[in-house]
Amino acid sequence: MLLQVLGTAAGGGLPQWNCACPGCTGARAHPERRRRHASLAVRAAEGCWYVVNATPDIGEQIEDCPDLRPGPGARQTPIAGVVLTDAELDHTLGIARFREAAAGFEVLATAPVRQAVGEGLGLDAVLGPYTDVRWRELTAAGCSLGGGGLRVSAVPLSGKRPRYAANSTNSGDSWSVALRLHDSGTGRTLLYAPALAVWSDAFDEAVRDADLVFVDGTFWDDDEPLRCGFSTRTATGMGHLPITGPGGTARRLARLPGRCLYTHLNNTNPLGNPHAEQHKLLAEWGIEVAAERMVIEL
Ligand code: MLT
Ligand code: MN
Ligand code: ZN
């Protein structure tokens, strides 16, 4: 399995356009600290890639990766579609940027996410006159990506939904899912969970079974959003388990056999500064922070 990290930041990115917090100011002064919205590209077959979540940065993210650039035909793209973990704006606004897709493109999403993006966000009506969006339902049973040996399935996580879908009558825990990508050729499994509101038994089983895990690293600790003054809710209250503290994910990840990386870092997260002392703790626990544009052959 070949993976290309396209971005590692939470909504807003690093720096965020209207933010002068220490993290965003630091990223303006030190461009190597900049992070684009969290996303990943996975190769399903030779010249056939799927993007996991379509962010507001998608155009630049594609340009930055030679494997994802168009050609040799004038309007030929190796990008076959998008797989969504949820309906949040930082993971879906980039879908609109695919309006130029001459051959159309696929979007794989769970039923509530498909309805929120298609109807709530209005992308069915908006994109219909431009291109052919082919929806495929993402389920726990899974399906093949690109017709080869790569399968994607959903591990339902929680009912956490975007604010624009607050009134949706859809219930259940497939609003926010982890993606399980399994390559039958290598026998390797990737688990991608950029938003983790609860560490359920099903998620626990899925992480144990994975060779590589990307996990929600939005906040370092539970009080970070309150302390930094941008929210009246804790990290957990916002639907993101923190890295450290009693309900933190680090102590659980540290015990896993597979390689673990944090992604979806908020601009308030001290890990955005490469000199922060928190990196030493993570290293002791054997956990990494995903880097921009990293390539992983699994
Ligand atoms: C989230 O990760 O909780 C959402 O993307 C929040 C947001 O940016 O609105
Ligand atoms: Mn987000
Ligand atoms: Zn900021």
Side-chain angles (χ1 to χ4, degrees):
M1 199 186 313
L2 187 61
L3 306 166
Q4 167 80 62
V5 171
L6 300 179
T8 55
L14 184 67
Q16 178 173 311
W17 67 279
N18 65 344
C19 190
C21 76
C24 291
T25 305
R28 288 188 188 97
H30 305 276
E32 71 281 2
R33 295 187 195 175
R34 289 174 179 250
R35 289 177 186 266
R36 287 183 173 144
H37 287 97
S39 177
L40 197 68
V42 56
R43 189 177 64 180
E46 194 59 43
C48 174
W49 290 76
Y50 281 80
V51 174
V52 176
N53 293 330
T55 87
D57 300 320
I58 188 74
E60 294 75 20
Q61 288 171 322
I62 290 169
E63 276 309 312
D64 273 356
C65 300
D67 283 346
L68 303 183
R69 291 180 192 155
R75 288 284 163 89
Q76 190 182 349
T77 170
I79 297 167
V82 181
V83 189
L84 298 176
T85 57
D86 52 65
E88 298 290 347
L89 292 177
D90 54 341
H91 293 160
T92 54
L93 284 178
I95 295 172
R97 295 212 47 191
F98 283 174
R99 74 176 179 109
E100 295 91 357
F105 61 98
E106 268 196 310
V107 183
L108 285 85
T110 62
V113 170
R114 186 253 181 275
Q115 195 186 9
V117 175
E119 295 168 29
L121 207 52
L123 285 187
D124 279 341
V126 167
L127 286 176
Y130 296 89
T131 186
D132 179 23
V133 183
R134 294 183 296 276
W135 290 93
R136 247 207 295 172
E137 188 173 350
L138 179 66
T139 64
C143 60
S144 162
L145 273 187
L150 188 66
R151 277 187 78 80
V152 62
S153 55
V155 180
L157 294 178
S158 75
K160 174 179 153 58
R161 68 195 67 184
R163 285 184 235 174
Y164 72 81
N167 296 328
S168 167
T169 51
N170 270 317
S171 57
D173 57 3
S174 47
W175 274 100
S176 171
V177 303
L179 296 182
R180 185 175 183 272
L181 286 148
H182 179 75
D183 183 339
S184 62
T186 58
R188 297 295 194 113
T189 301
L190 159 74
L191 196 74
Y192 186 72
L196 187 65
V198 267
W199 191 292
S200 65
D201 290 346
F203 181 73
D204 195 63
E205 196 178 313
V207 283
R208 281 174 200 288
D209 185 50
D211 301 289
L212 176 65
V213 185
F214 284 88
V215 178
D216 184 341
T218 311
F219 300 112
W220 177 256
D221 64 73
D222 210 25
D223 288 340
E224 185 180 315
L226 301 164
R227 195 173 54 246
C228 297
F230 78 92
S231 178
T232 53
R233 290 179 295 172
T234 59
T236 311
M238 292 175 74
H240 296 284
L241 291 181
I243 294 174
T244 57
T249 53
R251 66 194 171 88
R252 293 174 181 271
L253 295 175
R255 292 191 215 118
L256 295 175
R259 181 178 178 190
C260 299
L261 302 102
Y262 279 118
T263 188
H264 194 272
L265 272 67
N266 195 55
N267 42 48
T268 52
N269 190 323
L271 293 172
N273 178 349
H275 304 297
E277 61 188 17
Q278 284 84 352
H279 286 281
K280 292 196 192 98
L281 282 170
L282 268 200
E284 280 170 26
W285 297 326
I287 309 172
E288 299 167 59
V289 178
E292 292 287 289
R293 291 177 293 281
M294 74 194 296
V295 175
I296 300 178
E297 175 98 57
L298 183 64

